[in-house]
Amino acid sequence: MTGGIARGGAMLAGAAALVAGSALLLLVPQAIGPLQGLLALGLAGAAALAWPEGAMAAWLILVATTPEMWLSDMIGHHETIIALLKVTGLAIIGLAALRRGSRFDRYNPGFAFLVMFVGGFVHGLWPGLTPLASLRSLVGSAAPFAAGFMRAEARMRAAIIRCTIIGPAVTVAFGLLLHAAGLRAIYGVQLGAIRLQASSSPAFLGGFAMIAIYAGLVAFAGSGRRREWAWIGANFLILLASGARAPLALATFATLATLLSVEAPDFGMRARLGLLTTGGAAFGAVLLAGPALHFVRVIDLIHLGDAASLSNRNLIWPYFEAALARSPWLGWGVGAGKVIVPLHSPIGRFLGTNAAHDEYLRIACEGGVPGALLLFGLLGLWLFRGSAALPVGQRRLIRLVFLAFAVQSLTDNTLIATTSLTFFTWARAVFINPDEGSAPA
């Protein structure tokens, strides 16, 4: 009954907007452009309110395709596209909370960014960081955790989990379409090795594939469905083809831990040995074919003895360490990590980025050491509170996944990249909070 009323209300609001727009167009013909934009937004909002699960699924798939890469290739405005992605997610979550109900997420890590935002103004912002830019960074930094404030029913959770798992495959399919249309190459070449990028970039595609593997493992631990291993295998192939080394190592570690120690329904020793044997055979085949596979980046780097290199990440760390040493207690404001090293500086041009590639260091620069401790402390509380009521296998596995996330944060931009939108929205879908009685789908 409630769903029918909401859909009816959305349709009525849409009809009213259409009538009002038609009347305005008759009076002011030159308003057709802005009116079309407002009408599109209104219809999209009405659809999201009526079908929040579908809106969330569409948004997660869009995030996985990484429009800040493929769309910015066509029209530019990289940062604007990222901002619109986050604002769209916030709007969908807000409409879902309006439709299904909201909740107070006591340990939401987004609160830490608010504290750091205030601390930055108390201390003074980093030169070049404006108050408006810091406010935008506050919204963008807290956005990945916004799903914590909505009540997620079974259908919503199922949609989030499934879209997280299939997202990389959809990205590859979309990348093939862009490649066929001559709009974007499906792969890039780095030091003679091919790296799959699809509609994204190799690093981002690898990040999304790693998260999809985590999601598949947790889904399997809860349901025992063997089909999850087909998706896990497909995402491993995408991850290997992307050449993203740290995500591949962490996903492999999580998979081995699942096979060796995580409990799952109807997952006995015979099944575990079968999967371990299959994986071992595949690894052995790769070793035997190694000389012919130098075009695969990970294999090529192993052959060169450079698999553990930091890809020059360590060159940018001294700049952030110096900034932290100048203000270890309050930091330089949320968003300072984007301006401590100018993008067009010599080191920025050499690396092609001005990001810290170390979230502990970046967060400490923005919020001081206390701000960093608060953020990662809230992350831990958020995890343990949300996972406490999960079945033992899922509980152990998602805590292991967050441990892998903590390790990856030493050398990657895990909190500011758009992959964080998928990762934390997926985690929210898995959690069972004390004020929620339903188990994840």
Side-chain angles (χ1 to χ4, degrees):
M1 178 65 71
T2 304
I5 293 173
R7 288 188 177 88
M11 294 175 64
L12 184 61
L18 184 61
V19 171
S22 300
L24 178 62
L25 189 58
L26 290 173
L27 296 172
V28 190
Q30 62 268 30
I32 186 169
L35 183 62
Q36 286 176 332
L38 290 173
L39 180 61
L41 285 175
L43 291 175
L49 180 61
W51 300 282
E53 297 83 8
M56 178 64 74
W59 177 70
L60 283 171
I61 292 296
L62 178 63
V63 169
T65 66
T66 327
E68 69 269 27
M69 303 293 177
W70 62 267
L71 186 56
S72 67
D73 284 351
M74 303 176 189
I75 65 172
H77 303 290
H78 178 87
E79 292 295 330
T80 302
I81 292 170
I82 294 176
L84 288 174
L85 268 181
K86 293 183 176 182
V87 168
T88 301
L90 288 172
I92 291 172
I93 291 169
L95 290 170
L98 183 64
R99 173 73 188 279
R100 307 295 189 198
S102 61
R103 58 183 299 274
F104 180 68
D105 196 18
R106 182 183 306 168
Y107 300 118
N108 193 285
F111 292 134
F113 290 105
L114 180 59
V115 172
M116 290 189 285
F117 177 77
V118 174
F121 278 90
V122 170
H123 171 272
L125 301 178
W126 181 268
L129 177 64
T130 66
L132 181 59
S134 184
L135 179 61
R136 288 199 299 265
S137 292
L138 168 64
V139 176
S141 297
F145 306 100
F149 294 101
M150 71 174 183
R151 290 191 179 276
E153 297 182 348
R155 284 185 300 175
M156 176 66 82
R157 295 184 181 198
I160 292 172
I161 292 168
R162 189 51 48 189
C163 289
T164 301
I165 292 172
I166 70 173
V170 174
T171 299
V172 171
F174 182 58
L176 285 170
L177 291 176
L178 293 178
H179 183 81
L183 297 174
R184 200 169 201 273
I186 191 70
Y187 64 87
V189 178
Q190 184 176 11
L191 300 177
I194 294 174
R195 301 191 69 180
L196 179 66
Q197 63 183 18
S199 64
S200 182
S201 71
F204 276 62
L205 180 61
F208 281 113
M210 175 192 67
I211 297 166
I213 291 168
Y214 292 157
L217 292 171
V218 174
F220 173 76
S223 67
R225 292 190 299 261
R226 303 302 171 88
R227 72 179 185 186
E228 304 299 350
W229 286 103
W231 282 108
I232 291 168
N235 283 310
F236 258 115
L237 289 176
I238 294 171
L239 180 49
L240 180 64
S242 75
R245 293 166 295 160
L248 179 61
L250 293 169
T252 301
F253 170 69
T255 302
L256 288 174
T258 301
L259 290 173
L260 294 173
S261 62
V262 173
E263 299 177 13
D266 301 320
F267 190 45
M269 186 56 65
R270 179 178 296 181
R272 295 173 191 269
L273 289 176
L275 286 169
L276 283 168
T277 300
T278 301
F283 181 69
V286 169
L287 289 179
L288 290 174
L293 296 176
H294 285 178
F295 62 90
V296 179
R297 181 176 184 251
V298 174
I299 296 174
D300 188 48
L301 288 174
I302 292 173
H303 174 73
L304 295 173
D306 203 27
S309 73
L310 292 171
S311 299
N312 295 316
R313 286 172 168 84
N314 55 312
L315 297 180
I316 204 169
W317 290 341
Y319 296 89
F320 286 86
E321 290 167 351
L324 175 60
R326 289 173 56 188
S327 179
W329 293 107
L330 288 176
W332 295 99
V334 177
K338 297 179 180 180
V339 295
I340 286 175
V341 176
L343 184 58
H344 299 295
S345 65
I347 187 66
R349 289 197 301 269
F350 174 71
L351 296 176
T353 178
N354 62 347
H357 287 87
D358 182 335
E359 291 293 33
Y360 301 97
L361 189 54
R362 180 183 72 87
I363 294 299
C365 285
E366 295 192 354
V369 174
L373 291 174
L374 175 62
L375 173 61
F376 290 103
L378 284 177
L379 268 170
L381 290 170
W382 195 63
L383 165 65
F384 278 85
R385 184 176 190 248
S387 63
L390 289 172
V392 62
Q394 285 187 309
R395 181 171 68 247
R396 290 175 179 173
L397 185 52
I398 197 167
R399 290 177 179 179
L400 180 67
V401 164
F402 268 71
L403 176 61
F405 173 85
V407 172
Q408 185 188 5
S409 297
L410 288 166
T411 56
D412 271 327
N413 304 311
T414 52
L415 288 169
I416 59 172
T418 49
T419 49
S420 65
L421 296 171
T422 295
F423 181 78
F424 292 112
T425 303
W426 161 73
R428 169 65 189 94
V430 174
F431 288 166
I432 302 175
N433 291 292
D435 57 342
E436 295 175 320
S438 59

